Amino acid sequence: LLQRCIQLLILPLHLAAYVGLWDPFYKKVFPYIMAKIAPIYNSKVYRQKQILFSNLRQFAGPSGQLMLLEIGTGTGTNFQFYPPGCRLTCTDPNPNFRKFLLKSLSENQHLKLERSVVASGEDLHQIPDGSMDVVVCTLVLCSVTSIRRVLAEVLRVLRLGGAFYFLEHVAADHSSWTYFWQKVCDPAWQYFGDGCSLSRETQKELEKTNFSELHLKHIHVTPYWIPTSPHIIGYAVK
């Protein structure tokens, strides 16, 4: 009932999306919103990201250089955690992030940008098979059309022995009040989160993907009462 009430309240957004007005407008606005929100979020998970990315170097190729692909780079808030000399390929389906991406690169000159590609995670055909040592994806799988297709692309572009790093908010336990509010808020959240879903079962998709190793743990990001608090964090090896 609450979900239906919210759907009724956001009926103008439904209509704007139906006639093709909402998406072009929000694609331009969303990068500015993320430029404000991302640093706040980063401060909450700073220690967790430090620990997560601390072993990136061990996946460097035979040459000693680390070839890293980030899916859904956005404003580039992960750049500060990548090791010096890292050769970086960035992808994002929204070209309006480019201005913020370049600003982050100017602030992280220890990295070398190989290329920046406008592409969704489901279709990375510009990236050759087995060309990456590491793929990173944070707060992206919640908004993709198909997690399964993204993970298939991750496996394709990773070399054997390469690793996929992730940090994603996910569905809460189905018996919890958090999950109840996730389902209630989902219809509106997807409009204001650029397609983001609050109740993705991302862990199940990772477990079904053909990784040789999966290192995953559950965390909660403060404040604990918000529907995006439950997270999974870790890495998987091809």
Side-chain angles (χ1 to χ4, degrees):
L1 179 61
L2 286 170
Q3 191 182 69
R4 294 300 184 198
C5 289
I6 288 177
Q7 287 176 329
L8 186 61
L9 287 171
I10 62 171
L11 184 59
L13 292 183
H14 282 297
L15 295 173
Y18 182 76
V19 298
L21 296 177
W22 178 256
D23 194 58
F25 163 75
Y26 203 66
K27 290 292 185 192
K28 292 180 180 178
V29 172
F30 189 60
Y32 290 90
I33 295 173
M34 290 307 299
K36 297 293 184 183
I37 295 175
I40 299 170
Y41 175 82
N42 237 18
S43 68
K44 294 176 183 294
V45 295
Y46 186 85
R47 183 59 183 153
Q48 290 93 331
K49 282 190 175 184
Q50 271 191 323
I51 295 169
L52 174 65
F53 295 126
S54 63
N55 67 340
L56 278 174
R57 280 194 175 279
Q58 79 178 49
F59 293 103
S63 67
Q65 289 187 311
L66 183 70
M67 303 293 292
L68 188 151
L69 165 67
E70 182 165 356
I71 298 174
T73 309
T75 60
T77 55
N78 290 327
F79 290 173
Q80 61 186 298
F81 301 101
Y82 298 158
C86 176
R87 298 176 64 181
L88 181 65
T89 298
C90 298
T91 71
D92 201 287
N94 188 344
N96 298 299
F97 272 110
R98 182 166 179 79
K99 162 179 149 180
F100 302 98
L101 171 69
L102 294 175
K103 181 177 182 294
S104 289
L105 284 169
S106 70
E107 295 167 353
N108 292 275
Q109 296 188 11
H110 64 289
L111 303 177
K112 179 183 178 182
L113 179 66
E114 292 287 299
R115 63 191 298 198
S116 178
V117 180
V118 177
S120 68
E122 294 93 337
D123 182 11
L124 301 172
H125 67 270
Q126 300 99 320
I127 314 299
D129 295 3
S131 60
M132 294 294 155
D133 300 310
V134 166
V135 176
V136 174
C137 192
T138 61
L139 301 186
V140 171
L141 296 179
C142 56
S143 58
V144 299
T145 305
S146 169
I147 297 177
R148 187 173 301 178
R149 285 171 55 197
V150 173
L151 294 178
E153 282 290 79
V154 168
L155 280 178
R156 181 184 65 77
V157 302
L158 275 176
R159 64 166 176 80
L160 188 63
F164 171 58
Y165 284 74
F166 55 87
L167 171 62
E168 299 285 341
H169 70 80
V170 293
D173 183 280
H174 288 201
S175 62
S176 67
W177 277 107
T178 302
Y179 184 72
F180 171 82
W181 287 111
Q182 284 178 335
K183 298 303 287 184
V184 168
C185 297
D186 235 350
W189 194 272
Q190 293 188 34
Y191 281 110
F192 295 106
D194 198 25
C196 173
S197 172
L198 292 167
S199 53
R200 286 281 170 93
E201 304 282 356
T202 307
Q203 179 176 346
K204 292 180 180 178
E205 293 297 333
L206 284 163
E207 290 170 346
K208 288 189 289 187
T209 305
N210 192 28
F211 290 111
S212 63
E213 301 174 30
L214 177 59
H215 304 269
L216 179 151
K217 68 176 182 178
H218 292 264
I219 62 171
H220 282 79
V221 176
T222 56
Y224 299 126
W225 54 267
I226 63 173
T228 55
S229 178
H231 280 58
I232 57 170
I233 186 171
Y235 67 96
V237 180
K238 179 175 175 178

